[in-house]
């Protein structure tokens, strides 16, 4: 038997053993440190915030605070809704006899609320746009209609111009924005054409957002020079002097309304005149949703307005270019093919460095391969390429131009007396000098590097709230379903006589959309197999642009 240990075992060891253990511990810690370096820092980094050198710091901080407040309010509202739902459930559980009678009205109420919310989300924005546009026209003494210099005729709305003429003693001035994306010869031709009707100002708004594709590593000095060039506004003095001269002749403070179709640069014109980012500007269409007063000085105040609402009776290219909808809502292939059909094919090939194509699907496949847009399995992403083309065409970087009409014919809502009234009170000689100076200052592209585009003419718009009927939309959707059913029968070799009678009585918008769908079917027959896999889901649908915009 072992004797019981009266004392604890000694921890003494040889120096050789102790040093060996310490060495092993050091090696282990070193190994852990190396692994931690490879993984990266685990501690969350603090938000550095907005630097003091950043422009519009105060505005950004205000926006951040507003967002925080809105998020907190939403969270509180959600909590209250959850509590109310729980209380209702508890009441139903406590009263089992009245359970069947109480559940039905509760479900009905919830259904009614959901239906109301859906109606407001669909109806209210566009009706509000009409109301706000009317308010801007009524409140303003001078109305600036901002036009995209690449397609000035397509950016004019005859319905709005008629409403301004009917409004009484109101002046209408045209502003050719984005004039740096058009060749100088074409810009001069458009200026001489539009000056016959209304006083026109050549303008190039200052762009705060830079093109991501043109990021080049430069020295700090070169970077500052490039930024200053892109932020320079051209035509500001001419427009300012024009408004000041009219204010002096009228002898009172004036309100200047800024109107136009989406993505023509209304808010950027106001920001460049004020030299501050007051109005929200972005790539997405229809950011401005209500009128906003911006005082330039004591005598002149500018009113920002929401965009025009496009009528569904317009052509397919006009609906694709001028509608305040995202590309996710619009079918990208049909919208982009409608735009591509109006452009010169040879110049498109040279601009995008793509091989010669016979139809839109061939172009999108080669364009996707050129830009590196691929799906799983290596097939080109045709829809992604269509989205890129649509976003570039409606953006502020692609250069294309339209020829003005050969002979000037006044529109039906204009005559000689109206033209003279509109020009009264403005110093037109000084305006011509300022326009010539701004044309010289603008660095415009060459004719060879820009694309020729065929304009679809004046774009019709909707002003009155009653002109946005919902019943017509339902009827159009029913017609769409019937037409898609007829196309399925056509593929099977069976055609009804009733379908032929209905197809004869169609609106011009439906005919345009039907031609687009027929083109896409013809393209599918000549397209490769990997493209057809992408298009099989959309074979039975006939798309109408009017359902998304009204």
């Amino acid at each position: 038997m072992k004797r019981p240990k009266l004392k604890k075992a000694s921890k003494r060891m040889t120096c050789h053993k102790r040093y060996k253990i310490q060495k092993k511990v050091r090696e282990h810690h070193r190994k852990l440190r190396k692994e931690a370096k490879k993984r990266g820092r685990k501690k969350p980094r603090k938000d550095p915030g907005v630097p003091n050198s950043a422009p519009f710091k105060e505005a950004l901080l205000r926006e951040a605070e507003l967002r925080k407040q809105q998020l907190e309010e939403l969270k509180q509202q959600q909590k209250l809704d959850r509590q109310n739902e729980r209380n209702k459930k508890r009441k139903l559980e406590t009263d089992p006899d009245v359970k069947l009678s109480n559940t039905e009205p509760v479900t009905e109420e919830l259904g009614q609320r959901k239906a109301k919310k859906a109606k407001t989300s669909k109806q209210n924005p566009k009706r509000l746009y009409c109301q706000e546009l009317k308010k801007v026209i009524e409140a303003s003494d001078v109305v600036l209609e901002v036009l995209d210099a690449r397609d000035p005729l397509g950016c004019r709305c005859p319905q709005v111009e008629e409403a301004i003429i009917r409004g009484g003693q109101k002046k209408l001035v045209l502003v050719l924005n984005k004039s740096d994306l058009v060749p100088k010869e074409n810009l001069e031709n458009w200026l001489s054409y539009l000056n016959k009707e209304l006083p026109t100002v050549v303008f190039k708004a200052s762009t705060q957002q830079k093109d991501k594709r043109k990021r080049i590593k430069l020295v700090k000095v070169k970077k500052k020079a490039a930024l200053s060039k892109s932020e320079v506004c051209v035509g500001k003095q001419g427009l300012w002097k024009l408004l000041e001269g009219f204010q002096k002749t009228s002898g009172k403070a004036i309100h200047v309304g800024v109107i136009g179709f989406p993505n023509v640069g209304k808010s950027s014109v106001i920001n460049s005149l004020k030299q501050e980012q007051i109005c929200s500007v972005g790539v997405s269409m229809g950011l401005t949703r209500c009128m906003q007063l911006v005082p330039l000085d004591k005598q002149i105040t500018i009113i920002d307005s929401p965009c025009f609402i496009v009528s569904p009776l317009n052509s397919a290219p006009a609906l694709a270019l001028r509608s305040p909808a995202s590309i996710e809502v619009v079918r990208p292939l049909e919208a982009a093919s409608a735009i591509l059909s109006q452009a010169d094919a040879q110049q498109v090939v040279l601009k995008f460095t793509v091989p010669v194509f016979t139809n839109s699907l061939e172009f999108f496949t080669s364009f996707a391969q050129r830009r590196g847009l691929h799906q799983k399995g290596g097939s080109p992403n045709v829809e992604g390429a269509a989205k890129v083309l649509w976003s570039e065409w409606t953006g502020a970087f692609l250069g294309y131009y339209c020829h003005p009409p050969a002979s000037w014919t006044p529109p039906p809502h204009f005559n000689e007396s109206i033209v003279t009234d509109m020009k009264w009170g403005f110093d037109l000689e000084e305006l011509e000098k300022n326009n010539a100076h701004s044309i010289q200052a603008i660095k415009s592209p060459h004719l060879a590097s820009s694309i020729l585009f065929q304009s679809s003419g004046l774009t019709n718009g909707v002003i009155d709230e009653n002109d946005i009927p919902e019943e017509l939309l339902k009827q159009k959707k029913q017609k769409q379903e019937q037409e898609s059913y007829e196309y399925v029968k056509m593929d099977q070799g069976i055609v009804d006589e009733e379908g032929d009678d209905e197809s004869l009585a169609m609106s011009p918008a439906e005919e345009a959309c039907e031609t687009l769908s027929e083109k896409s079917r013809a393209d599918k027959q000549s397209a490769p197999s990997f493209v057809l896999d992408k298009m099989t889901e959309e074979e039975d649908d006939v798309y109408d642009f009017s359902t998304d915009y009204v």
Side-chain angles (χ1 to χ4, degrees), residues 133 140 142-149 151-162 164-165 171-177 194 197-201 203 239 256-261 264-266 269 303 305 308 413-414 458-459:
L133 187 62
S140 55
V142 180
V143 181
L144 302 178
E145 190 175 7
V146 183
L147 311 178
D148 193 339
D151 185 11
L153 207 64
C155 295
R156 290 184 68 179
C157 183
Q159 287 79 15
V160 176
E161 289 179 4
E162 281 179 14
I164 292 161
I165 292 162
K171 304 293 178 184
L172 182 63
V173 179
L174 303 177
V175 179
L176 278 173
N177 194 22
L194 295 170
E197 289 181 30
L198 295 165
T200 310
V201 182
F203 202 86
L239 186 57
V256 182
V258 182
I259 60 170
F261 277 105
V264 292
K266 301 182 291 296
V269 167
I303 309 169
S305 69
F308 302 154
H413 56 276
F414 271 101
L458 297 168
T459 307

Side-chain angles (χ1 to χ4, degrees), residues 180-410:
D180 59 324
L181 302 174
V182 175
K184 282 186 180 180
E185 297 171 4
N186 186 257
L187 186 63
E188 287 170 358
N189 292 334
W190 272 112
L191 191 63
S192 61
Y193 179 83
L194 295 170
N195 273 325
K196 291 173 184 176
E197 289 181 30
L198 295 165
T200 310
V201 182
V202 174
F203 202 86
K204 186 249 173 186
S206 60
T207 55
Q208 280 81 23
Q209 294 181 354
K210 310 300 177 300
D211 193 356
K212 290 179 182 177
R213 292 170 295 162
K214 295 179 181 177
R215 284 182 182 175
I216 306 163
K217 292 181 180 179
L218 297 167
V219 191
K220 288 182 180 179
V221 180
K222 288 184 180 179
K223 274 188 179 180
K224 285 178 183 177
L227 289 171
S228 63
K229 281 177 187 176
S230 62
E231 287 180 1
V232 164
C233 173
V234 180
K236 180 190 164 185
Q237 289 182 356
L239 186 57
W240 190 278
K241 285 177 182 177
L242 192 75
L243 295 173
E244 274 186 346
F246 180 75
Q247 187 270 322
K248 285 174 184 177
T249 52
S250 60
K252 60 173 185 178
I254 58 167
H255 293 274
V256 182
V258 182
I259 60 170
F261 277 105
N263 217 4
V264 292
K266 301 182 291 296
S267 301
S268 58
V269 167
I270 294 166
N271 290 338
S272 53
L273 284 171
K274 187 69 177 173
Q275 292 183 347
E276 290 180 16
Q277 196 171 4
I278 292 168
C279 304
S280 58
V281 180
V283 179
S284 58
M285 291 176 153
L287 280 172
T288 309
R289 296 184 180 180
C290 60
M291 64 183 289
Q292 186 180 355
L293 291 166
V294 180
L296 286 180
D297 57 7
K298 290 180 181 179
Q299 301 297 326
I300 301 167
T301 56
I302 287 183
I303 309 169
D304 193 9
S305 69
C307 58
F308 302 154
I309 295 166
V310 185
S311 174
L313 300 173
N314 288 303
S315 61
L319 290 169
L321 286 168
R322 308 277 170 245
S323 299
S326 62
I327 194 64
E328 278 75 21
V329 177
V330 181
R331 287 193 182 180
L333 281 169
E334 300 207 352
S337 60
I339 293 164
L340 197 66
S341 65
Q342 301 294 106
D344 189 5
Q346 290 181 356
Q347 290 175 351
V348 168
V349 165
L350 292 169
K351 182 73 177 177
F352 295 105
T353 58
V354 167
V356 180
F357 57 92
T358 54
N359 52 35
S360 57
L361 283 173
E362 280 185 15
F363 170 77
F364 291 131
T365 50
S366 54
F367 185 59
Q369 287 170 354
R370 176 74 182 168
R371 292 289 177 94
L373 302 168
H374 297 289
Q375 292 177 335
K376 287 181 181 178
S379 60
N381 189 358
V382 180
E383 278 193 3
K387 284 180 185 180
V388 169
L389 183 77
W390 184 84
S391 61
E392 284 187 5
W393 212 276
T394 54
F397 299 108
L398 186 70
Y400 66 91
Y401 66 98
C402 301
H403 286 305
S407 61
W408 178 76
T409 53

Side-chain angles (χ1 to χ4, degrees), residues 65 111 412 549:
E65 285 176 4
Y549 300 109

Side-chain angles (χ1 to χ4, degrees), residues 71 97 120 389:
L71 286 168
D97 299 330
T120 51
L389 183 77

Side-chain angles (χ1 to χ4, degrees), residues 426-486:
F426 295 113
D427 192 355
L428 298 176
E429 290 180 0
E430 193 176 1
L431 180 63
E432 283 181 8
K433 289 177 185 176
N434 291 323
N435 282 337
H437 180 69
S438 55
I439 287 167
Q440 286 178 358
I442 289 166
K443 288 186 177 180
S444 57
H446 296 288
L447 279 166
S449 62
S450 52
I451 302 165
L452 179 62
F453 187 75
Q454 191 177 356
S455 178
S456 55
L458 297 168
T459 307
N460 295 314
V462 178
I463 298 174
D464 294 327
E465 301 167 27
N466 300 322
D467 293 342
I468 310 173
E470 294 172 4
E471 293 177 0
L472 287 172
L473 289 176
K474 290 177 184 177
Q475 290 175 5
K476 282 180 182 179
K477 282 179 183 177
Q478 288 174 1
K479 279 183 182 179
Q480 248 186 299
E481 290 172 2
Q482 288 174 2
E483 285 171 3
S484 62
Y485 182 64
E486 286 166 17

